[in-house]
Amino acid sequence: DSGVTQTPKHLITATGQRVTLRCSPRSGDLSVYWYQQSLDQGLQFLIQYYNGEERAKGNILERFSAQQFPDLHSELNLSSLELGDSALYFCASSHRGGRADTQYFGPGTRLTVL
Amino acid sequence: AQSVSQHNHHVILSEAASLELGCNYSYGGTVNLFWYVQYPGQHLQLLLKYFSGDPLVKGIKGFEAEFIKSKFSFNLRKPSVQWSDTAEYFCAVNARSGGGADGLTFGKGTHLIIQP
């Protein structure tokens, strides 16, 4: 157990819909990262937050957005869902968000878009 | 931008065999290097990481990796594998400084199966 929690574990929805994935970082960690894992693209970095502020963006689509709340939990919002958005979405956390910091990964949320 | 290449997508070994998984990265500047493992049904866990200093890095569970700067490589090794090492192994990199995201760039992974 990494100490990072993600809910829900599984999510099944239809094209065009909007979903919210939730992540709670390890106690004491200030930075949260979101990654998408799909069969064709592999593990891709989406976005990073540090202490409530966006710090870095990766390959995140405009239909996707995220935020980090004052209690440091984070939510990833996916809208206008397409079949290709079906993937495993991981959240990771690190203490200070530095590039040398170890990122601790959660168990993931498996999203299926039908 | 950086990229990571893992040469072997699937590796099958017998218990007690030696393991070496290849990882090459592409980036012009200095990098931090990581190996993560994902056991069946579990989350990604850090095996080891390299930032600077001794290029031979020792990690958990008897794994080690060697950073060879001239070859842009960070290969993972274990002298004698066990059945419990069956898992997916990911090499990852981020740029130590300068532009670019703080997130990790991952290779496609190597699926390792250890036969009893």
Side-chain angles (χ1 to χ4, degrees), chain A residues 94-108:
Chain A
S94 73
H95 182 50
R96 290 173 304 210
R99 294 183 183 188
D101 281 9
T102 296
Q103 293 181 30
Y104 294 87
F105 283 76

Side-chain angles (χ1 to χ4, degrees), chain A residues 26-65:
Chain A
R26 292 189 323 152
S27 177
D29 283 359
L30 299 175
S31 192
V32 168
Y33 310 76
W34 286 98
Y35 291 85
Q36 179 195 58
Q37 186 180 34
S38 62
L39 282 174
D40 52 344
Q41 298 291 327
L43 257 168
Q44 287 200 96
F45 167 66
L46 296 179
I47 196 164
Q48 178 198 7
Y49 279 80
Y50 173 75
N51 206 20
E53 300 288 327
E54 181 185 303
R55 173 169 277 190
K57 264 186 174 178
N59 298 321
I60 189 165
L61 300 172
E62 284 192 14
R63 300 183 285 108
F64 296 0
S65 65

Side-chain angles (χ1 to χ4, degrees), chain A residues 1-2 33 35 37 40-41 43 45 48 55-57 90 97 99-103 105-107, chain B residues 32 34 36 38 43-44 46 49 51 90 94-104 106 108:
Chain A
D1 185 0
S2 66
Y33 310 76
Y35 291 85
Q37 186 180 34
D40 52 344
Q41 298 291 327
L43 257 168
F45 167 66
Q48 178 198 7
R55 173 169 277 190
K57 264 186 174 178
F90 287 105
R99 294 183 183 188
D101 281 9
T102 296
Q103 293 181 30
F105 283 76
Chain B
N32 301 314
F34 306 79
Y36 278 84
Q38 188 173 28
H43 60 275
L44 280 157
L46 182 70
K49 60 185 181 182
F51 300 141
F90 294 92
N94 65 10
R96 196 173 300 169
S97 61
D102 290 346
L104 297 171
F106 282 88
K108 294 279 183 153

Side-chain angles (χ1 to χ4, degrees), chain B:
Chain B
Q2 59 244 17
S3 65
V4 178
S5 175
Q6 291 182 242
H7 317 298
N8 312 102
H9 296 299
H10 297 276
V11 173
I12 301 174
L13 294 173
S14 298
E15 275 194 313
S18 64
L19 169 71
E20 180 160 2
L21 300 182
C23 171
N24 286 91
Y25 67 92
S26 171
Y27 183 68
T30 51
V31 294
N32 301 314
L33 295 154
F34 306 79
W35 274 99
Y36 278 84
V37 62
Q38 188 173 28
Y39 298 104
Q42 295 190 27
H43 60 275
L44 280 157
Q45 301 174 45
L46 182 70
L47 273 179
L48 46 78
K49 60 185 181 182
Y50 171 80
F51 300 141
S52 62
D54 188 344
L56 186 61
V57 181
K58 294 196 184 298
I60 62 172
K61 306 188 180 189
F63 286 91
E64 65 179 30
E66 185 175 12
F67 170 52
I68 302 180
K69 189 175 180 180
S70 61
K71 295 185 178 180
F72 297 89
S73 70
F74 190 55
N75 291 354
L76 181 71
R77 300 196 292 246
K78 185 170 184 178
S80 176
V81 294
Q82 301 170 306
W83 177 79
S84 58
D85 292 324
T86 294
E88 190 88 19
Y89 292 80
F90 294 92
C91 181
V93 63
N94 65 10
R96 196 173 300 169
S97 61
D102 290 346
L104 297 171
T105 298
F106 282 88
K108 294 279 183 153
T110 296
H111 188 200
L112 175 65
I113 296 173
I114 306 301
Q115 296 177 330

